[in-house]
Amino acid sequence: GKTSEAQTALLDSILKKSNPNSSFTTVDVSDLFRDKLLKGPNLHNKYYSYYVTVRLLAHLVDEIPDKVIYMDTDCIVKDDLTDFFNIDMQNYEIAGRRDKFRISRYFQSGVMLMNMKKIRETGLLERACKLCATKKYICYIDMSALNTATKKRKMLSAKYNSFKNDDCYVFHVCDLREGKFPLTKKWAHRIKPDETEAFFTRCPDLAYLKESYEQVQREHPEVFKI
């Protein structure tokens, strides 16, 4: 479902505890999704949720400024991202790390530095939306479309999108919870209750995240109601 006003207010208050100048905003892109993406051969993809393509609508959201850092929800920020944000993007549309399964300049779209000004000028995301609506993808629908549509890319160090809990800026936990089951049509890309415990067992230094989450859940039970 959509993020409620109470949930938005809570997330905004959490951000402001660390930086009073921060703010949390939600944007409803339902109509844009139906118009641009809810069609084509990937709608009933069995390997990957089609909703991952929502990020391809960024160019149509006025609230998104000329330069942004995009991150999947399964990312943990471990260091100040100022240096990451300040990377010179004048001649590039998107910056990202090389996907670990590729030997080419195919970037992983879970963490990206996006030059939205240039992207809006070149029509990159518009092309990616059209690809999703016309081209059949087995999996990684939006990531493949993005890589096809991007002409000016900058390849980054893996420390900005690390799949290991190491000395990095962003820890992307997807390696702990996803993967295809061999010889089946099932895609293991959903967090289950037992996976939460497994995560903290493998990453004990991040146990404070669980404690913080449980505290918020106790203090604000109303925002966890579906």
Side-chain angles (χ1 to χ4, degrees):
K2 297 179 181 179
T3 305
S4 68
E5 291 184 7
Q7 290 169 334
T8 298
L10 174 60
L11 292 167
D12 186 66
S13 68
I14 291 173
L15 282 181
K16 282 181 166 54
K17 287 180 181 178
S18 297
N19 184 349
N21 294 321
S22 297
S23 62
F24 185 91
T25 303
T26 57
V27 180
D28 185 354
V29 295
S30 302
D31 290 339
L32 290 173
F33 178 79
R34 282 188 284 268
D35 179 47
K36 298 288 186 179
L37 295 168
L38 195 58
K39 55 187 176 182
N42 298 290
L43 181 58
H44 301 294
N45 193 296
K46 295 180 180 180
Y47 293 102
Y48 216 66
S49 169
Y50 201 41
Y51 293 109
V52 299
T53 59
V54 166
R55 72 190 88 177
L56 303 184
L57 299 171
H59 61 303
L60 300 174
V61 179
D62 293 337
E63 291 88 342
I64 294 179
D66 286 348
K67 188 180 185 183
V68 295
I69 294 175
Y70 168 87
M71 274 188 283
D72 281 351
T73 57
D74 59 347
C75 290
I76 299 172
V77 177
K78 300 188 67 178
D79 206 341
D80 190 319
L81 298 182
T82 301
D83 290 343
F84 181 24
F85 184 79
N86 287 336
I87 289 174
D88 184 6
M89 291 291 290
Q90 183 176 353
N91 297 317
Y92 302 98
E93 296 166 310
I94 290 177
R97 67 157 290 176
R98 182 181 64 82
D99 187 71
K100 63 179 182 177
F101 297 116
R102 316 281 175 158
I103 59 174
S104 66
R105 288 168 59 81
Y106 185 105
F107 59 85
Q108 208 276 345
S109 63
V111 180
M112 299 180 289
L113 182 59
M114 305 177 73
N115 182 350
M116 292 304 302
K117 184 176 186 297
K118 193 170 188 66
I119 285 172
R120 287 177 170 124
E121 291 172 353
T122 62
L124 186 163
L125 292 179
E126 195 67 38
R127 294 196 303 275
C129 284
K130 289 180 179 178
L131 283 168
C132 286
T134 58
K135 182 178 174 60
K136 177 67 174 178
Y137 292 104
I138 296 176
C139 61
Y140 299 121
I141 305 165
D142 75 306
M143 187 157 69
S144 294
L146 273 171
N147 273 274
T148 300
T150 301
K151 306 303 181 185
K152 299 290 185 178
R153 70 195 67 196
K154 185 178 184 68
M155 307 308 292
L156 299 176
S157 164
K159 67 183 179 181
Y160 295 115
N161 181 11
S162 177
F163 304 129
K164 299 179 180 179
N165 185 26
D166 53 13
D167 184 19
C168 59
Y169 285 83
V170 179
F171 173 31
H172 194 170
V173 306
C174 57
D175 260 19
L176 302 183
R177 47 176 284 267
E178 76 168 20
K180 283 181 286 188
F181 293 114
L183 305 179
T184 76
K185 293 185 177 181
K186 295 181 179 180
W187 183 262
H189 195 75
R190 300 290 182 271
I191 295 178
K192 303 179 181 66
D194 58 325
E195 289 177 335
T196 302
E197 294 302 324
F199 171 78
F200 289 114
T201 298
R202 294 175 65 176
C203 303
D205 61 311
L206 298 175
Y208 69 92
L209 295 172
K210 182 181 180 183
E211 296 168 4
S212 298
Y213 173 80
E214 291 176 344
Q215 180 181 350
V216 172
Q217 196 171 31
R218 288 193 302 271
E219 295 176 353
H220 303 274
E222 70 282 357
V223 303
F224 290 87
K225 295 179 180 178
I226 299 176

